[in-house]
Structure formats: structure tokens, C-alpha cells
Amino acid sequence: MHMIFIGVESTAHTFGVGVMNSQGEVLANVKDSYSSADGGMIPDKVAKHHEEVAERILAEAFRVAGIAWKDVNFIAYSAGPGLDPALWAGYRIVSAWASTEGKKLVGVNHCCAHLSIGKVWNKLDDPCYLYVSGVNTQIIVEERLSEGKYQIIGETLDIGLGNMLDKFGRILGLGFPAGAKIEELAKRGKYVELPYTVKGMDASFSGILTKADQLFKRGIASREDLCFSMQETSFAMLAEVVERAMAHTGKKELLLVGGVGANTRFCEMLDIMCAQRGARFFKVPMDLAGDQGAMIAWEGYLRRGSYGNISVKPHWRTDEV
Ligand code: AMP
Ligand code: MG
């Protein structure tokens, strides 16, 4: 018999419950994400959102997977990193479920979960990871001799790429999150120059945001041109630093994870870069790219021997796991 377990995601705008088995199969992955028409992510509203949707999302996940509490071996939850109020809301919810149903809690690192779900889905052995979400922009490799121990070899020096897109989206009045809307507008844009800043295997995005903001407010460049140029510049920067990281580490596989991985143009550029150096590019399907519960479930399965009820860890880095 396979073991069945659930994973609960609540680090940022998404509340999700995923159901998986020990074969690495996703039996259900239901989520509801906070969004807003004008503001960004208001932490207390996000926490309230999670509390309001939790029971409904759990019931839906159980229904899709065709399981009940008696089938669940343990509850994995995202302990961090993330927004304090959102994490605590999630922790209160899973603590209540665990005590009512008598289940073990396994707190996991949200970033590691993005990596491990991509790895199992693509059946990869030892890829170079590019993790690009709202807050995080990191190039990661697994330490050669210890599986599950990660090293960050390149990262943003200021804001995450997703945050840059969301902040610019807010300037344009696109609502939150803005990544997908920027991708649409970019299809009708042409190139204007924006600051291209890379240092070794790190990159910096705040200069792009500042410059784009100025060009937009002064009416010098259109929304479409700025969206296009912001994408081209930041994606090219990341393609450059990732290529350097792959050359340094000798990795032949690149795996893109995180919400920005939903961007078709970004995937295309990374695919071309990999093809040119005889490497292979992998991504995860849309429903596993952004935040969701299945990845938390799988990471919990992998770490169930070393982690348990660890409360919340808002600043938990990938390389501290
Ligand atoms: P995550 O935290 O992994 O769920 O990723 C969320 C981030 O992904 C947000 O910053 C979104 O704006 C961004 N995002 C979602 N879809 C796209 C897209 N099609 N293009 C670029 N960014 C996107
Ligand atoms: Mg994430």
C-alpha cells in the first residue's frame, strides 16, 4: 500500500491543500489565492483569506482525491519563509486539524518544496535549479554528497523578479499579481533600454523598476514597450547568470520552478540558452509552478524523518534546511 499524506501551503497569497502518495503521484491539488484590484498583498487580509477558505479547500481536496481523514498518514505544512500573519494563520489551521484528527505535523521549507516537486515531476537526478517566485530569485544546486542539502550559488541582490513585475504592475494599475498581465502587454511592445545589472552569478532588478517607473510617468515609453523591455532585460540577465552557473558546476540540466516559470517568453529564452550549450531545459506544469499544497506534501514526505512540528520560521532560507 502507498502512503497518502497532505500538504498545506500558506506562506503568501495562496492557501492550498495537496494530496499525494509515496509514489510521487498528485491525487489532488486545490487552492485559492488572495488577489486585489488596487493594493498589493496586505498581510492581515491574506491571513483572513486563508482562514476563510481553509475548510472549503480541504473538503474539495479530499473529494477530488477520493479520500477521508482516516487515509491521511501525516500533515505537511509550509513553516516558512513567508509573511508572518499568513504563516501563523496556516499554522493555526493545521494545528487544529492535527489535534482533532490525531495526525503528525511535518513543517517544511517552502522553497525546498518548489525544488523537490519539480525534480520528482521531471524525474531528474541532479539539476541546476532556477527558482523565481514573487520574493525569491535564486540559482540553487544540491550538494554533491548530501541529498536534500542545497547551496544557493546566485541570487537577486535586491528584489525578486516576481516582485519587480508586481510592483510595476501596481504602477500601471494592473492589480495583483501582475506577472501574467505584463506578459500579455509585452506581446505588443518594442525594446527601450533599461539597466542590465549582473554581478558574477547574482543579478539586480530594482534599477529596472526605477527606470521603467520614470519612463512611464514622464510619458516617454508606452506600457507595452516597458512591459516588453522589462521582460527582455530581466530574463536575459537571468539567462546569463544561469549559464555561468551551469558552466561553473558542469550541470547538464536546468529546472525552472516558481510562479514566474509560467511565463512563456522566459521559458523560451532559457530553452535556447540550454540548447546552445548542449544542456536540457525543464519546467513544471502550470499547476505545479506557483504556490500550491502538493509540493508541500511531497517535501514533507522526503523530510518526514528529520522534521516535525516546528512552528513557523518566517525567514528560513533554503540553505539552512
Ligand atoms: P509564486 O510565489 O511562486 O506563486 O509566484 C508568484 C509570482 O509569479 C508573482 O510575482 C506573479 O506575478 C508571477 N507570475 C505569475 N504568472 C506569471 C507570468 N505569466 N509571467 C511572469 N510572472 C508571473
Ligand atoms: Mg512560492
Side-chain angles (χ1 to χ4, degrees):
M1 255 313 263
H2 306 154
M3 193 191 282
I4 290 175
F5 38 88
I6 70 170
V8 180
E9 161 59 23
S10 73
T11 57
H13 62 310
T14 300
F15 184 86
V17 176
V19 183
M20 287 192 73
N21 66 21
S22 44
Q23 299 290 99
E25 290 165 340
V26 179
L27 308 180
N29 203 12
V30 183
K31 63 177 184 177
D32 190 302
S33 299
Y34 167 87
S35 63
S36 79
D38 41 11
M41 246 197 292
I42 301 151
D44 290 329
K45 286 197 181 169
V46 174
K48 193 157 170 284
H49 164 267
H50 294 351
E51 267 152 9
E52 282 168 5
V53 304
E55 292 298 336
R56 174 172 64 79
I57 298 300
L58 177 78
E60 181 66 5
F62 277 8
R63 192 189 62 75
V64 173
I67 62 154
W69 271 120
K70 66 172 172 33
D71 305 308
V72 176
N73 200 284
F74 63 85
I75 304 170
Y77 71 97
S78 44
L83 293 171
D84 241 275
L87 289 171
W88 282 109
Y91 184 63
R92 276 195 299 274
I93 293 161
V94 295
S95 298
W97 289 343
S99 76
T100 315
E101 305 298 334
K103 306 290 176 187
K104 174 184 155 85
L105 284 177
V106 181
V108 305
N109 180 290
H110 171 96
C111 307
C112 293
H114 272 293
L115 308 181
S116 56
I117 195 73
K119 182 176 171 181
V120 70
W121 198 86
N122 285 292
K123 300 188 169 60
L124 297 176
D125 175 40
D126 185 27
C128 175
Y129 297 92
L130 175 58
Y131 171 33
V132 191
S133 65
V135 211
N136 296 287
T137 302
Q138 298 175 333
I139 305 171
I140 299 164
V141 292
E142 212 167 306
E143 282 182 10
R144 206 64 210 103
L145 298 172
S146 47
E147 197 177 352
K149 183 82 197 135
Y150 297 105
Q151 231 181 319
I152 299 169
I153 58 172
E155 63 187 315
T156 175
L157 295 168
D158 40 48
I159 54 175
L161 176 49
N163 277 359
M164 175 194 74
L165 297 171
D166 293 335
K167 281 180 194 214
F168 190 57
R170 195 165 172 188
I171 292 167
L172 298 184
L174 299 178
F176 170 86
K181 287 170 191 151
I182 288 179
E183 180 172 17
E184 271 316 298
L185 286 169
K187 288 178 182 159
R188 301 191 299 275
K190 57 182 189 314
Y191 192 74
V192 292
E193 196 168 325
L194 295 174
Y196 184 105
T197 318
V198 303
K199 285 187 182 137
M201 294 191 276
D202 298 327
S204 157
F205 301 102
S206 62
I208 298 179
L209 180 64
T210 307
K211 181 79 186 189
D213 183 24
Q214 288 169 354
L215 293 176
F216 177 66
K217 290 195 174 136
R218 290 182 195 151
I220 296 170
S222 73
R223 303 148 70 90
E224 288 81 0
D225 290 355
L226 289 168
C227 289
F228 175 76
S229 309
M230 177 171 274
Q231 285 199 167
E232 293 301 303
T233 309
S234 60
F235 296 169
M237 281 161 47
L238 281 181
E240 179 187 332
V241 290
V242 170
E243 176 164 33
R244 196 166 296 135
M246 292 177 80
H248 266 289
T249 55
K251 304 272 186 217
K252 291 285 179 218
E253 294 167 337
L254 173 64
L255 172 59
L256 174 64
V257 298
V260 185
N263 190 292
T264 311
R265 176 62 180 146
F266 191 27
C267 292
E268 182 186 37
M269 276 167 85
L270 293 171
D271 198 25
I272 292 170
M273 181 275 285
C274 284
Q276 282 174 350
R277 51 178 296 109
R280 295 209 295 157
F281 174 65
F282 297 88
K283 56 189 174 183
V284 284
M286 206 75 124
D287 51 339
L288 294 179
D291 294 350
Q292 26 73 34
M295 67 179 193
I296 303 301
W298 185 246
E299 179 69 9
Y301 174 69
L302 298 176
R303 309 267 184 192
R304 69 195 184 287
S306 24
Y307 284 92
N309 186 343
I310 53 171
S311 182
V312 307
K313 293 172 175 262
H315 304 289
W316 199 9
R317 275 174 63 95
T318 312
D319 49 8
E320 291 164 354
V321 177

